[in-house]
Amino acid sequence: MNAPAPRSPWDRPGAKLRVATASLAGCFGCHMSLLDLDERFLDLVELVALDRTPLTDIKHLGPCDIGLIEGGAANAENVEVLREFRRNCRVLVAVGACAITGGIPAMRNNVPLAECLHEAFVRGQGLVDRGIPDDPELPLLLSQVHPIHEVVRVDHFLPGCPPSADAIWSLLTAVLEGRAVVLPWEQLHYD
Amino acid sequence: MNDAQNAANERPAFTLDGGRIPFTPGQTIMDAALAAGVYIPHLCHKPGSAPHGSCRVCVVRANGLELSACTTPAQPDLVVESEADDIRALRLAVVQMLFIEGNHICPACEVSGACALQAVAYHCGMLTPRFPQRFPRRAVDASHPDFVLDHNRCILCELCVRASRDDDGKRVFAISGRGIASRLIVDSPTGLLGDSSFSKDDAAARVCPVGAILPRRQVFRIPIGKRYYDRSPIGHVGDVAPRLDAEDVEL
């Protein structure tokens, strides 16, 4: 029987690392900030190959080296995606305020879920078809929005709303080179 | 050696992270350090206000004991550590607990960039609040014409309690309850700020280190990203953020 193939190019110098990203209960702002890497993206794709991300439209990820998660866990699908990322990624990074603290979506945690839904879909202004949506394809909402480290183990945290492209670059280069992640003061923001 | 230097040499001193800090008897470690231009992170301390020692952010090790710098009297030859790795870790945990205890959502906060809690967390290098978020259900009191009282952001530092009592002679604010149930209360028949004697000219209107006592209509005069602690670390510029409504703040 053959020895199992090494899972990661970190074991095979020269090969590209696989990176996957997902936006859970976020606004895609962190992904926009990733695009703000601009020409550095060209350097990045020399080093990494993209697996599941909103950019590739791959639906399920394979074994990856780095997973970047934007947004907190607000519904059952978020939890499923998050667990799939944890199973498949050697290093999982919480990117942005929502993934790290729950962020803006977690402001609903102050209001009982039934009241939230009632306000949005029953009592709200200008509604045509009043009633709480119950299509079976809609993922069920969690009673509260949670930061992702309350659901799975997280290896690195990159705060910001969104983190700047420079901060994302600092994190990615540190992780790729196996250095400790240290953000200079200029790049450390919660807003 | 001139007279001034002689006088300085005669003052008693302690060491802080290896440096000599002269002090006047009666000063705390915090008083002497700030007077010497050395920053020890703090939130419930404000020069001129009675020491309180409640936030524990100014934890230091003095002769082997972990103490709050703002309440510990300076003593000759005390050996104080503030930026040692284990003290920094302890302080970071204190700041993280302050974050998860309330609802501190910086992206939605009007004072982001001018908030001492946020700036101290930057100083401590906080990347995550780490502990499970408590998400407490707290009220926003919008009854006052000039100020909003947002209990979600209150860290119970009691700076407003002290300022209202000691500077304004009003006692508008107090802390009620114990432990995790502690909360800021307002002295008025309804418990609402708008029915109290609180005024925009009170000293208590200008001491909140976070966004709990929030002036209306003024807070976006300086855009987010260009505020006091956006421009300089709190360790360099100290803890007295200019009022968000001040017109003379350079952009």
Side-chain angles (χ1 to χ4, degrees):
Chain A
M1 197 173 139
N2 291 335
R7 271 191 64 210
S8 163
W10 277 330
D11 309 321
R12 292 177 281 124
K16 286 188 176 184
L17 300 187
R18 293 196 75 78
V19 175
T21 76
S23 181
L24 308 181
C27 69
F28 272 90
C30 297
H31 276 82
M32 296 303 291
S33 208
L34 185 67
L35 297 180
D36 277 343
L37 286 173
D38 294 333
E39 67 267 32
R40 282 176 291 188
F41 218 97
L42 300 176
D43 298 330
L44 187 64
V45 294
E46 290 293 314
L47 300 169
V48 308
L50 295 178
D51 196 284
R52 172 189 168 152
T53 86
L55 310 174
T56 57
D57 207 26
I58 297 171
K59 303 302 182 194
H60 291 281
L61 71 163
C64 282
D65 297 289
I66 302 171
L68 305 175
I69 302 286
E70 165 187 348
N75 64 34
E77 193 231 357
N78 295 155
V79 173
E80 191 182 312
V81 171
L82 195 48
R83 288 183 172 152
E84 183 178 318
F85 266 72
R86 182 66 276 181
R87 276 197 306 275
N88 285 285
C89 297
R90 293 179 63 173
V91 171
L92 195 64
V93 187
V95 179
C98 299
I100 293 173
T101 72
I104 303 274
M107 292 179 83
R108 79 156 157 93
N109 293 354
N110 262 321
V111 183
L113 180 57
E115 226 175 278
C116 273
L117 289 169
H118 197 80
E119 180 65 33
F121 296 108
V122 179
R123 199 166 43 220
Q125 299 277 316
L127 294 174
V128 177
D129 235 351
R130 287 177 195 273
I132 294 169
D134 60 353
D135 189 301
E137 290 212 0
L138 290 175
L140 288 173
L141 293 174
L142 307 182
S143 62
Q144 292 201 313
V145 180
H146 293 275
I148 65 168
H149 70 272
E150 293 183 12
V151 181
V152 297
R153 180 174 58 80
V154 171
D155 300 292
H156 296 288
F157 298 87
L158 181 62
C161 186
S164 65
D166 287 346
I168 294 173
W169 187 247
S170 293
L171 175 119
L172 285 176
T173 50
V175 172
L176 289 171
E177 293 165 13
R179 290 183 283 110
V181 178
V182 179
L183 292 181
W185 177 80
E186 295 78 10
Q187 294 177 13
L188 178 55
H189 277 281
Y190 307 148
D191 58 7
Chain B
M1 194 175 285
N2 64 32
D3 287 345
Q5 280 173 320
N6 275 328
N9 288 338
E10 282 163 19
R11 290 179 71 198
F14 60 91
T15 66
L16 174 57
D17 292 330
R20 295 289 284 175
I21 307 286
F23 68 93
T24 307
Q27 278 188 317
T28 60
I29 293 173
M30 177 69 78
D31 292 333
L34 291 182
V38 177
Y39 177 71
I40 299 175
H42 53 273
L43 289 170
C44 75
H45 175 78
K46 184 172 181 289
S49 283
H52 198 249
S54 63
C55 78
R56 313 315 280 184
V57 165
C58 70
V59 60
V60 293
R61 184 164 45 230
N63 283 4
L65 284 178
E66 282 82 25
L67 299 163
S68 56
C70 72
T71 56
T72 304
Q75 292 167 41
D77 303 322
L78 207 56
V79 177
V80 183
E81 296 165 85
S82 174
E83 295 292 329
D85 284 349
D86 57 341
I87 294 295
R88 284 177 58 93
L90 202 53
R91 182 178 293 136
L92 174 61
V94 169
V95 173
Q96 287 169 320
M97 286 190 274
L98 285 171
F99 267 85
I100 61 103
E101 191 177 303
N103 293 309
H104 299 282
I105 303 176
C106 298
C109 183
E110 296 86 344
V111 302
S112 192
C115 167
L117 175 64
Q118 184 188 61
V120 165
Y122 292 160
H123 176 89
C124 295
M126 187 183 91
L127 297 177
T128 164
R130 180 163 62 134
F131 303 112
Q133 296 277 354
R134 291 186 60 84
F135 295 125
R137 289 189 179 158
R138 296 193 193 159
V140 176
D141 174 354
S143 59
H144 195 278
D146 300 314
F147 275 81
V148 172
L149 180 57
D150 188 342
H151 292 277
N152 291 289
R153 301 164 180 171
C154 178
I155 57 170
L156 304 172
C157 68
E158 298 198 32
L159 277 169
C160 60
V161 175
R162 283 174 276 166
S164 185
R165 179 191 65 209
D166 302 335
D167 301 334
D168 303 327
K170 287 185 174 181
R171 295 179 183 266
V172 169
F173 300 103
I175 302 293
S176 175
R178 296 182 70 82
I180 198 67
S182 304
R183 66 197 193 282
L184 186 68
I185 56 168
V186 171
D187 179 23
S188 73
T190 56
L192 295 174
L193 194 63
D195 296 325
S196 75
S197 60
F198 181 79
S199 144
K200 65 179 179 358
D201 301 318
D202 287 357
R206 295 188 297 276
V207 292
C208 184
V210 293
I213 301 178
L214 187 71
R216 288 179 182 268
R217 294 177 294 275
Q218 309 289 341
V219 288
F220 288 107
R221 193 184 292 267
I222 304 169
I224 282 173
K226 294 188 172 176
R227 293 171 176 187
Y228 200 55
Y229 298 130
D230 291 326
R231 289 178 286 142
S232 303
I234 193 168
H236 293 183
V237 294
D239 61 330
V240 187
R243 293 180 60 183
L244 289 163
D245 54 345
E247 300 208 26
D248 55 349
V249 179
E250 58 181 277
L251 290 180

